[in-house]
Amino acid sequence: MMALRLLLSMMLTMAGCLMAAAQQRVVVADAVTHLPITHASLYTNDGGHFRSAMSNEQGVAVVAFPFQRLTVSHLNYERRVVRRLADTLFLTPKYRSTAEVVITNQEPEWIRRKLKQVVRLKEQYYFTTPDTLLYDYRTQSMGTNSIYRYHLTGLMRPRSIVAGNYAIMADTSDIVASDSTLLTDTNNLRRMLYEDFVAELDNAFIRSHKFFENTDFNGGNGNEVELRFRSKHSNDDRGWIILDTARCIVRQAYRFTGTKTNCRERISAFMYAAARLMGYRIDSWTRDYRVDYQERTDGTLYPAMVNYKMYYAGRDGGSDSQEQQFNEQTGGGFPNMEATLSISPCPGTMPGDTIWHELCPSWYIKYNTEADRQREIELSNLPATFTIYSSEQ
């Protein structure tokens, strides 16, 4: 009897330890600035069951599952694997990390003059290429109990020679996921291409933001400066620009936008009002966009590397059967997404039997024609090899 009570006591103690381990609170933070990291992913595949958690806007995550190895990742940081949690987990930034943007009231007059010159010259420098490009696209999306990764490579035709739209040829197309029914997802690819920073930089953007020079910037040639910016109207729109002041071209750029700015810029006010009448609500919508432009021998530039992360949480008051069928045919989208795109000039000639897929701009809330729906279904069903996710991947 004594032995039985002792065994039960040990079992209860072990269960308590497991419960404690399954309810741990941790802060994920930048190792350089010590600022919290929003929407970092913490996940494990121990025992063949995928489980994940995500940090909130204060960098806090609650890990409500046991694990032996926990991966902590964010698009802008080096991935980290831990076996136990400390109070704070620090991630090393992949790129230079700066503190929160602080805009002073003293804005040098030359900044707006140079930026307006960028707007006047951008068609000449950024959107005149006729050549075919090579691309490498990777996207990853996570839910509480699922993971999705898609890798797509091939040739790309720029929008300037394809009736205003980009087009791609798929060379390799690979899905790794915990659900074998998932489809090919090109949404982030299209967002990175069509939501290009320079393409969206116009005089209205310049008027609606405050700028100042980061005098601590130490990179590039003697003509390059770092400009930090913030919206005049909302605190969820900020970033930086690496500007070549001699040629008036943007070399690099980063922009973060939150729910208020995204709702204003990315969707029609009329369509959002109509969606709200039908019970749809956007609870949270954040977007991180970083781009590096490379120069060709002729002096024109292209987006050689793009990093994109989006978190989107909304509530749907219900949809009709046609909309449900469309979601099944296109995969339905993901709430927590991140992606990278690398582009380079194509050294060879284009094959004569290339099959091109038109990349229409990605949308958030809009009325879709039948032609729109068919294009979305085609891009969601590209031929691909499929692998079930394992703990080694």
Side-chain angles (χ1 to χ4, degrees):
M1 192 70 175
M2 180 70 72
L4 180 59
R5 282 200 298 268
L6 181 59
L7 178 60
L8 286 171
S9 176
M10 291 173 62
M11 291 175 65
L12 288 172
T13 300
M14 291 174 63
C17 290
L18 287 173
M19 183 63 70
Q23 294 288 339
Q24 297 182 79
R25 179 183 180 276
V26 61
V27 177
V28 185
D30 187 300
V32 177
T33 66
H34 288 197
L35 292 172
I37 300 174
T38 301
H39 300 151
S41 298
L42 301 85
Y43 60 93
T44 184
N45 199 39
D46 289 343
H49 299 289
F50 182 84
R51 298 288 184 271
S52 75
M54 184 175 61
S55 62
N56 62 17
E57 294 184 2
Q58 289 73 47
V60 176
V62 177
V63 180
F65 47 83
F67 63 87
Q68 293 180 349
R69 289 165 54 89
L70 184 74
T71 301
V72 188
S73 71
H74 187 285
L75 180 69
N76 297 328
Y77 295 84
E78 301 293 343
R79 185 177 300 179
R80 184 177 175 186
V81 178
V82 299
R83 293 187 178 275
R84 62 182 63 187
L85 292 179
D87 292 337
T88 304
L89 281 175
F90 291 104
L91 299 185
T92 303
K94 293 180 181 177
Y95 318 103
R96 60 185 182 80
S97 188
T98 58
E100 179 73 7
V101 176
V102 178
I103 302 296
T104 66
N105 290 325
Q106 301 299 318
E107 180 182 282
E109 199 171 303
W110 64 266
I111 291 179
R112 290 179 182 272
R113 187 170 65 252
K114 290 290 184 181
L115 290 176
K116 289 178 180 179
Q117 186 72 356
V118 172
V119 173
R120 285 194 291 271
L121 296 174
K122 67 180 184 178
E123 292 293 334
Q124 170 186 333
Y125 280 122
Y126 291 88
F127 307 110
T128 58
T129 175
D131 55 326
T132 303
L133 303 167
L134 294 170
Y135 72 93
D136 187 308
Y137 164 67
R138 299 171 188 267
T139 188
Q140 173 175 285
S141 306
M142 288 190 190
T144 304
N145 300 310
S146 63
I147 185 170
Y148 171 90
R149 290 173 180 159
Y150 182 45
H151 183 202
L152 179 66
T153 67
L155 298 175
M156 177 184 296
R157 294 195 306 195
R159 58 179 172 171
S160 58
I161 59 171
V162 193
N165 283 343
Y166 290 90
I168 59 167
M169 181 275 288
D171 183 14
T172 64
S173 178
D174 303 299
I175 299 173
V176 177
S178 50
D179 181 350
S180 61
T181 66
L182 294 175
L183 305 174
T184 55
D185 178 35
T186 63
N187 281 298
N188 290 329
L189 171 61
R190 291 180 281 161
R191 289 169 183 140
M192 287 187 282
L193 291 170
Y194 287 103
E195 296 174 17
D196 175 80
F197 182 86
V198 169
E200 296 187 338
L201 178 64
D202 56 16
N203 289 325
F205 181 93
I206 296 170
R207 285 193 302 271
S208 63
H209 289 79
K210 293 181 179 180
F211 303 86
F212 82 105
E213 181 182 355
N214 176 17
T215 55
D216 295 329
F217 176 67
N218 240 341
N221 59 46
N223 297 320
E224 291 182 7
V225 298
E226 180 190 275
L227 303 179
R228 299 188 188 181
F229 64 83
R230 181 187 288 277
S231 170
K232 294 179 180 179
H233 310 296
S234 59
N235 60 5
D236 68 346
D237 179 3
R238 55 188 181 271
W240 50 260
I241 303 167
I242 305 299
L243 177 68
D244 184 324
T245 56
R247 297 180 59 199
C248 292
I249 56 176
V250 173
R251 296 285 188 180
Q252 299 176 25
Y254 167 78
R255 188 184 183 194
F256 169 85
T257 51
T259 307
K260 183 178 179 181
T261 297
N262 290 326
C263 287
R264 184 180 69 251
E265 291 188 354
R266 302 295 166 193
I267 54 179
S268 153
F270 173 79
M271 289 301 300
Y272 187 35
R276 287 176 64 88
L277 287 175
M278 294 185 289
Y280 189 79
R281 295 291 186 275
I282 296 176
D283 297 321
S284 180
W285 184 2
T286 61
R287 174 183 174 274
D288 287 83
Y289 181 96
R290 185 184 186 279
V291 58
D292 292 346
Y293 297 99
Q294 291 294 322
E295 192 169 345
R296 299 181 184 84
T297 55
D298 63 0
T300 61
L301 295 100
Y302 62 95
M305 175 59 71
V306 187
N307 297 317
Y308 180 86
K309 183 172 178 65
M310 187 176 79
Y311 176 76
Y312 187 95
R315 290 169 289 166
D316 196 346
S319 56
D320 57 29
S321 58
Q322 185 181 20
E323 191 66 22
Q324 290 174 354
Q325 182 184 25
F326 178 62
N327 286 336
E328 291 173 0
Q329 292 171 321
T330 58
F334 304 92
N336 181 29
M337 301 170 284
E338 56 187 42
T340 61
L341 172 65
S342 61
I343 294 176
S344 59
C346 181
T349 57
M350 187 172 52
D353 58 349
T354 301
I355 299 176
W356 293 99
H357 301 276
E358 183 182 0
L359 288 181
C360 48
S362 186
W363 48 272
Y364 300 98
I365 299 176
K366 70 183 286 285
Y367 174 77
N368 290 295
T369 65
E370 185 58 32
D372 291 333
R373 290 172 176 263
Q374 290 305 315
R375 280 195 294 265
E376 293 292 335
I377 291 170
E378 176 191 343
L379 291 172
S380 299
N381 290 273
L382 297 176
T385 60
F386 197 101
T387 305
I388 293 293
Y389 175 82
S390 69
S391 57
E392 287 76 32
Q393 293 171 311

